[in-house]
Amino acid sequence: KNIAWEGAISYLRNGESYIYEDLDTLYKYESQYSYIAVPLKIFFTYGDNVRLLVGGGIVPQMFTGFKQNIESKDSNNTIRREELKTKIGYNSFVASIACNIGVELNLVNSWSIIFQPEYRLQLMSSLDRNAAYKHRAYSIGGHIGFVFEL
């Protein structure tokens, strides 16, 4: 009665940004790593009409693409913008662990609405094994959705 599991297919996107600005120089970028994921989680639940959920699990992820928007300005105030999209040089599969704590509110019959913040930590590098450094993402996000209990 107090144990629940979650299995799903989801689309995940991790992002990062960087900015360096000086009197006559600007360099900034925003990167996005996209994945198709299959989160597998287990939860301890407490309550009836309002339920507290605490748990987590493993999130296998298949890489679908990398996108980066770059903007730079040189000493002549010339602004340069470019967009980079690639799948080359990245690990095709990574796994993360996820920790959740949330609230589920019963609505009618077997339907509920759920609010569930999540912390996710990537266990493997996003970059392929020949890269000069390791890239492991962490993210803070959440889920809002409807639940149907069988």
Side-chain angles (χ1 to χ4, degrees), residues 40-60:
L40 303 168
K41 302 176 189 172
I42 191 161
F43 293 95
F44 173 75
T45 66
Y46 178 77
D48 290 320
N49 289 329
V50 177
R51 261 188 250 176
L52 175 67
L53 299 107
V54 177
I58 190 155
V59 184

Side-chain angles (χ1 to χ4, degrees), residues 70-124:
I70 303 168
E71 185 177 325
S72 59
K73 182 171 71 170
D74 61 20
S75 59
N76 297 325
N77 279 337
T78 304
I79 296 175
R80 183 175 163 212
R81 291 182 179 93
E82 64 181 298
E83 182 178 274
L84 171 67
K85 289 183 179 181
T86 187
K87 292 183 181 180
I88 298 170
Y90 295 90
N91 205 347
S92 61
F93 174 83
V94 297
S96 298
I97 55 171
C99 300
N100 301 84
I101 185 168
V103 175
E104 183 178 334
L105 306 169
N106 285 342
L107 300 175
V108 292
N109 298 332
S110 298
W111 287 94
S112 303
I113 189 166
I114 193 167
F115 304 95
Q116 193 178 72
E118 177 175 276
Y119 174 78
R120 193 170 57 245
L121 177 64
Q122 194 170 302
L123 301 173
M124 307 157 79

